[in-house]
């Protein structure tokens, strides 16, 4: 789940044993997303996906992290097509051929959070949407590669933004990635656009960052629907979202939610 920038939250470094627990939390998230990818087919309601995700978490001794978070009603954020993030699961919304669906899932396991997201194709999608998914996923890995000791948070943002804009797409600015640990959202904020601010925090070993490019086919501008949650593109163009939780180690970035197909 992405964060709306607000007051600065504390940056809390994690010990290696804590990172190990966070890896287990994130592997539950990755496992759930892989399960959902198989089950997300034409005719399935978005609330059915939500039920399956919650069951999966509880079967793995974890608790869905988003349910009740600032009043969010679901375990999953399910965002279709022009929806960017934070779509609310519904028994009245069914997956259709040609849709793209962004699924964001988080759990709490032994007091630590995991958070990851991926955008799936439902049936056959057009080449524009397919390329949007490819570029957004690539931009996530470009960002992750910069999550190295001595870099700044802005280096992640520059890597994501540069890759996205080279392909003619735009990054969402209104929502950002975040530190993660014993809270779902900790410091630092991890934007997907350069702030042109060289004073963004230095990246340190022990940071765990949820890096999550939200990429629009058209304008970067988004708005929140009347439900108070669902973020959509202003021009109704499709949007994609990929997220990993990544630990910064002395030897480089460690993708805790690795293995999402
Ligand atoms: Mg997140």
């Amino acid at each position: 789940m992405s964060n709306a920038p607000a007051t600065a939250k504390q940056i809390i470094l994690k010990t290696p044993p804590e990172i190990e627990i966070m890896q287990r939390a994130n592997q539950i998230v990755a496992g759930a997303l892989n399960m959902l990818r198989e089950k997300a087919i034409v005719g399935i309601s978005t609330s059915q996906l939500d039920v399956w995700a919650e069951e999966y978490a509880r079967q793995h001794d974890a608790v869905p992290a988003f349910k009740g978070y600032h009043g969010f009603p679901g375990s999953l954020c399910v965002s279709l097509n022009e929806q960017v993030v934070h779509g609310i699961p519904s028994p009245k919304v069914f997956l259709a051929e040609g849709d793209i669906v962004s699924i964001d899932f988080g759990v709490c396991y032994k007091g630590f959070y995991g958070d990851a997201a991926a955008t799936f194709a439902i049936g056959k999608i057009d080449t524009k949407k397919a390329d949007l998914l490819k570029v957004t996923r690539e931009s996530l890995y470009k960002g992750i590669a910069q999550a190295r000791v001595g870099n700044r948070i802005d280096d992640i943002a520059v890597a994501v933004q540069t890759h996205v804009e080279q392909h003619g797409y735009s990054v969402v600015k209104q929502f950002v990635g975040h530190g993660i640990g014993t809270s779902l959202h900790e410091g630092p904020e991890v934007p997907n656009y350069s702030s042109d601010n060289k004073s963004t925090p230095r990246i340190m070993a022990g940071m765990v960052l949820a890096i999550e490019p939200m990429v629009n086919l058209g304008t970067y501008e988004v708005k929140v629907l009347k439900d108070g949650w669902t973020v959509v593109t202003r021009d109704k163009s499709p949007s994609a979202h990929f997220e990993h939780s990544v630990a910064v180690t002395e030897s480089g970035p460690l993708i805790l939610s690795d293995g999402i197909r």
Side-chain angles (χ1 to χ4, degrees):
M1 187 183 258
S2 55
N3 196 13
T7 49
K9 296 186 176 76
Q10 207 186 342
I11 297 172
I12 303 163
L13 301 180
K14 281 80 189 178
T15 63
E18 289 172 336
I19 288 173
E20 234 173 85
I21 297 171
M22 291 193 72
Q23 190 166 29
R24 281 150 70 189
N26 277 288
Q27 283 303 303
I28 295 168
V29 174
L33 288 173
N34 285 336
M35 175 272 292
L36 293 170
R37 178 188 286 280
E38 298 300 317
K39 295 196 172 206
I41 58 171
V42 174
I44 296 293
S45 73
T46 57
S47 62
Q48 178 64 67
L49 299 174
D50 187 70
V51 168
W52 283 328
E54 176 163 3
E55 282 174 2
Y56 187 94
R58 297 195 187 279
Q59 283 162 3
H60 291 80
D61 302 318
V63 177
F66 302 165
K67 203 170 194 172
Y69 186 80
H70 294 294
F72 188 77
S75 293
L76 283 184
C77 298
V78 187
S79 310
L80 279 163
N81 301 317
E82 79 281 3
Q83 299 176 350
V84 180
V85 287
H86 305 167
I88 298 173
S90 165
K92 294 179 189 158
V93 175
F94 300 91
L95 303 178
E97 181 80 17
D99 282 344
I100 54 172
V101 59
S102 299
I103 299 186
D104 191 348
F105 189 44
V107 302
C108 186
Y109 173 80
K110 298 198 174 181
F112 286 88
Y113 283 86
D115 189 4
T119 302
F120 304 150
I122 305 303
K124 194 159 170 46
I125 58 172
D126 64 41
T127 52
K128 275 186 176 177
K129 282 179 173 173
D131 191 61
L132 176 70
L133 264 54
K134 176 174 172 281
V135 170
T136 307
R137 184 197 280 268
E138 286 168 355
S139 75
L140 169 59
Y141 286 92
K142 300 270 183 192
I144 289 170
Q146 296 300 318
R148 294 187 171 277
V149 174
N151 276 0
R152 290 188 185 272
I153 291 296
D154 194 56
D155 292 308
I156 297 173
V158 168
V160 170
Q161 184 178 20
T162 301
H163 188 70
V164 166
E165 292 182 352
Q166 271 170 358
H167 288 82
Y169 304 136
S170 58
V171 290
V172 171
K173 301 180 178 178
Q174 214 170 316
F175 295 87
V176 297
H178 50 93
I180 181 169
T182 55
S183 301
L184 183 60
H185 292 147
E186 296 180 354
E189 286 178 359
V190 186
N192 298 302
Y193 59 96
S194 177
S195 53
D196 294 322
N197 175 0
K198 295 305 158 202
S199 67
T200 56
R202 283 264 180 220
I203 295 173
M204 290 178 282
M207 277 185 171
V208 182
L209 306 172
I211 302 174
E212 49 178 317
M214 291 151 260
V215 176
N216 300 346
L217 193 77
T219 174
Y220 74 93
E221 290 176 291
V222 298
K223 63 177 183 179
V224 181
L225 295 185
K226 286 202 183 86
D227 64 19
W229 283 102
T230 312
V231 178
V232 298
T233 55
R234 276 204 180 268
D235 61 4
K236 299 193 169 68
S237 68
S239 185
H241 180 212
F242 286 85
E243 175 179 22
H244 272 307
S245 292
V246 178
V248 179
T249 74
E250 291 293 350
S251 53
L254 174 66
I255 303 176
L256 301 180
S257 46
D258 203 12
I260 300 169
R261 287 189 292 276

